[in-house]
């Protein structure tokens, strides 16, 4: 033990290399193992160990079969003297154990330092190996284009480990390049659903949005919090950048205009709103004239709702909406002269029998109709009033029964260049071979598709 302590002290004093310390310890352990000879003897249940480093603890009393004091040979040392001697030996051993543990702790610390040194050397070696690769020699401009192609195809990105966040964790150069590309940070999904740490989430989203540096933003907002004031405050510095916005609100009484007002660059809006209070039409009427695409889900529109949003419809090119009356359908088309694509869910509570005023829409290329409940029964009256001379794709979802004669009359009257007729849904309308032949006769290159959705 004295040798080990001396070696440790000299190492600190002389600042010897780690290899010298390791060599000295190896020598000490080798000498210790070479001089140790253990011998075990068993006599009357007692175990004896003779060792040059371990003292001989054998006494005449170990051979006695009992502790009868009359049997103790005369002239032997008193038992108390032996106990005192053993206590001294025990104290010496405990002292040596304590010293050895101190040395072992020092060795553990030295080992940890060496492991950390090894990791730093490995990191440096890998870095310099990378310097010789072709990827490292790519100019920043080319690396930027590669990063853009690394982005997922999803319309909105989550600030997790997927690109672009993953690109910032490879190396310092990649992080600098990624943070210098605003287009990497223009799509973001922001979730505030029962968020217990709103402040932390706001800091994370704000950091992402800052990197967009004024580029147009596409945002998706999941808002189950009934107070949107903080979210509006978070988005305020980026209001002029928001060009695409998707909102899902599921809390009754929430004021959607908090998120929909003052969006001067908005071109695309998707909003899921399943509450009647307040009416969503009031908020839509305040949207800017820059809006070109509008999708409203889980909220039914009548003629009055559509009329109240009149200023918005004139500029729209794409609309997806739920309508509860055939005349509201026609009224929407009348207010959307530039409409190219229209997808409508119809739920007509009463079967329409009275004819509607004829109307021709010259720019509509795609028409999708999803029939709900009694919606299909009033479609013939609606189709009889329509003319769509530019229609290319006609898709129907669960339109049962299929109004073949009304649809054929619409297509003949419109003289449109129809390319696809699509039947979709969990249940799809069936057409006979004769009806199929009639459609093919009108449009020889027509593609008729049937797609059944799995429940």
């Amino acid at each position: 033990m004295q040798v080990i302590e001396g070696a440790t002290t000299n190492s600190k004093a002389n600042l010897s290399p780690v290899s010298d310390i390791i060599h000295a310890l190896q020598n000490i352990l080798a000498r210790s193992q070479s001089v140790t000879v253990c011998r075990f003897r068993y006599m009357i249940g007692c175990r004896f160990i003779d060792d040059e480093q371990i003292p001989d603890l054998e006494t005449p009393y170990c051979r006695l079969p009992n502790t009868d004091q009359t049997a103790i040979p005369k002239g032997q040392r008193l038992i108390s003297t032996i106990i005192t001697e053993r206590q001294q030996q025990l104290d010496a051993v405990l002292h040596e154990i304590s010293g050895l543990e101190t040395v072992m702790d020092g060795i553990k610390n030295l080992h940890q330092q060496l492991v950390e040194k090894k990791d730093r050397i490995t990191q440096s070696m890998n870095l310099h190996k990378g310097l010789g690769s072709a990827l490292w020699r790519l100019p920043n401009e080319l690396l930027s284009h590669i990063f853009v192609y690394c982005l997922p195809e999803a319309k909105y990105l989550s600030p997790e480990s997927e690109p672009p966040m993953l690109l910032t964790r490879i190396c310092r150069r990649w992080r600098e390049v990624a943070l210098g590309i605003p287009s990497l940070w223009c799509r973001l999904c922001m979730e505030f659903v029962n968020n217990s740490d709103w402040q932390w989430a706001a800091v994370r989203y704000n950091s992402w949005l800052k990197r967009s540096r004024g580029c147009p933003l596409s945002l998706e907002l999941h808002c189950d919090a009934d107070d949107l004031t903080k979210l509006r405050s978070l988005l305020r510095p980026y209001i002029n950048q928001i060009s695409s916005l998707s909102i899902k609100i599921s809390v009754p009484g929430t004021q959607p205009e908090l998120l929909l007002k003052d969006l001067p660059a908005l071109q695309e809006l998707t909003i899921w709103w399943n509450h009647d209070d307040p009416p969503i039409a009031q908020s839509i009427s305040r949207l800017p004239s820059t809006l070109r695409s509008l999708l409203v889900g889980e909220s039914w529109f009548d003629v009055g709702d559509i009329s109240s949003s009149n200023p918005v419809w004139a500029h729209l090119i794409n609309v997806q909406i739920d309508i509860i009356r055939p005349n509201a359908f026609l009224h929407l088309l009348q207010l959307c002269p530039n409409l190219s694509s229209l997808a409508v869910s119809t739920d007509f509570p009463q079967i329409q029998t009275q004819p509607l005023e004829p109307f021709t829409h010259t720019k509509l290329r795609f028409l999708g109709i999803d029939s709900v409940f009694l919606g299909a029964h009033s479609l013939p009256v609606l189709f009889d009033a329509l003319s769509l001379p530019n229609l290319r794709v006609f898709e129907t979802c669960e339109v049962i029964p299929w109004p073949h004669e009304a649809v054929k009359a619409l297509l003949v009257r419109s003289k449109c260049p129809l390319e696809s007729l699509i039947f979709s849904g969990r249940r799809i309308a069936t057409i006979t071979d004769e009806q199929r032949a009639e459609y093919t006769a009108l449009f020889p290159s027509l593609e008729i598709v049937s797609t059944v959705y799995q429940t």
Side-chain angles (χ1 to χ4, degrees), residues 11-28:
S11 298
K12 293 181 179 179
N14 301 329
L15 299 176
S16 60
V18 174
S19 57
D20 291 346
I21 298 176
I22 296 174
H23 183 68
L25 291 173
Q26 288 174 339
N27 290 336
I28 294 171

Side-chain angles (χ1 to χ4, degrees), residues 300 322-324 344-349 369-379 397-400 426-427:
W300 294 93
D322 302 335
I323 291 180
I324 61 175
V344 175
S345 290
T346 59
D347 182 14
F348 304 147
I369 296 181
D370 184 353
S371 177
V372 180
F373 302 114
L374 298 177
H377 294 81
S378 296
L379 287 179
C397 182
E398 301 191 10
V399 177
I400 301 174
R426 294 182 296 272
R427 303 173 304 138

Side-chain angles (χ1 to χ4, degrees), residues 396-417:
T396 65
C397 182
E398 301 191 10
V399 177
I400 301 174
W402 175 246
H404 169 69
E405 294 299 331
V407 171
K408 186 178 71 171
L410 165 62
L411 299 176
V412 171
R413 181 172 58 254
S414 299
K415 299 180 181 180
C416 59

Side-chain angles (χ1 to χ4, degrees), residues 365-370 391-399 402 407 411 418-425 427-429 431 436 439 446-453:
R365 298 168 62 91
F366 171 87
L367 176 61
I369 296 181
D370 184 353
L391 188 65
R392 260 72 168 179
V393 179
F394 186 15
E395 179 174 2
T396 65
C397 182
E398 301 191 10
V399 177
W402 175 246
V407 171
L411 299 176
L418 191 67
E419 300 170 356
S420 298
L421 178 59
I422 304 171
F423 300 92
S424 62
R427 303 173 304 138
I428 61 174
I431 60 174
R436 184 183 293 268
Y439 292 131
L446 179 66
E447 180 183 19
I448 301 178
V449 180
S450 297
T451 304
V452 180
Y453 299 151

Side-chain angles (χ1 to χ4, degrees), residues 143-144 147 164-169 171-185 207-213:
L143 199 59
S144 298
F147 284 2
M165 289 302 298
L166 182 61
L167 299 174
T168 66
R169 299 168 183 167
C171 65
R172 180 179 300 177
R173 181 184 177 228
W174 280 33
R175 176 176 177 81
E176 292 175 352
V177 172
L179 295 181
I181 308 173
S183 59
L184 293 182
W185 312 96
S207 177
W208 180 295
L209 294 173
K210 281 183 178 179
R211 297 167 185 171
S212 65
R213 299 182 184 178

Side-chain angles (χ1 to χ4, degrees), residues 71-191:
I72 299 176
K74 297 180 180 181
Q76 297 295 335
R77 290 176 295 180
L78 295 176
I79 297 297
S80 60
T81 303
I82 297 175
I83 294 175
T84 302
E85 181 182 349
R86 294 295 181 266
Q87 183 63 52
Q88 294 172 351
Q89 293 169 336
L90 178 62
D91 292 341
V93 171
L94 291 176
H95 177 71
E96 290 178 340
I97 292 175
S98 176
L100 184 59
E101 288 177 345
T102 301
V103 174
M104 292 173 64
D105 290 340
I107 294 175
K108 289 181 180 179
N109 293 333
L110 181 59
H111 176 268
Q112 181 62 33
Q113 293 174 14
L114 292 176
V115 170
E116 294 175 357
K117 183 178 180 180
K118 179 208 69 172
D119 293 340
R120 290 196 298 268
I121 293 173
T122 303
Q123 183 179 10
S124 177
M125 183 174 64
N126 292 337
L127 173 63
H128 288 82
K129 283 182 178 179
L131 293 175
S133 69
L135 183 60
W136 185 262
R137 294 193 299 270
L138 291 177
N140 289 354
E141 293 77 9
L142 183 56
L143 199 59
S144 298
H145 287 291
I146 295 175
F147 284 2
V148 172
Y149 281 105
C150 287
L151 291 179
E153 295 182 359
K155 188 172 183 179
Y156 306 101
L157 305 181
S158 174
E160 304 298 337
S161 59
E162 64 182 12
M165 289 302 298
L166 182 61
L167 299 174
T168 66
R169 299 168 183 167
I170 304 301
C171 65
R172 180 179 300 177
R173 181 184 177 228
W174 280 33
R175 176 176 177 81
E176 292 175 352
V177 172
L179 295 181
I181 308 173
S183 59
L184 293 182
W185 312 96
C186 291
R187 296 182 282 157
L188 178 60
C189 175
M190 306 172 65
E191 295 191 37

Side-chain angles (χ1 to χ4, degrees), residues 52-81:
E52 294 185 8
Q53 293 185 353
I54 300 178
D56 185 2
L57 304 180
E58 183 178 349
T59 68
Y61 304 109
C62 293
R63 298 187 179 91
L64 295 178
N66 53 56
T67 57
D68 186 359
Q69 295 294 323
T70 62
I72 299 176
K74 297 180 180 181
Q76 297 295 335
R77 290 176 295 180
L78 295 176
I79 297 297
S80 60
T81 303

